Amino acid sequence: MAAVAPHRAAVLARRALRPEWEQAAALPALAERWRATFRKRVDAGRVEDWEPRLCAPASAP
């Protein structure tokens, strides 16, 4: 069996998560900011890139 290319695997994962993002965006118990985040993910079809926040260079003293 052939392996799935990483890019294709990511596309398939996004498609699988889309219904969950739509459900989360509609949850009244969820804070509005989180519902907005899930609506953005549904609209964009992807999760936002966290790398700049996680790998930001340390500020100089």
Side-chain angles (χ1 to χ4, degrees), residues 19-48:
E20 290 183 20
W21 295 341
E22 290 171 342
Q23 290 173 356
L27 285 174
L30 201 60
E32 177 56 34
R33 299 271 314 220
W34 276 109
R35 290 195 311 263
T37 297
F38 282 110
R39 282 193 299 271
K40 282 175 40 179
R41 290 176 181 179
V42 169
D43 293 343
R46 63 181 179 85
V47 175
E48 60 279 358

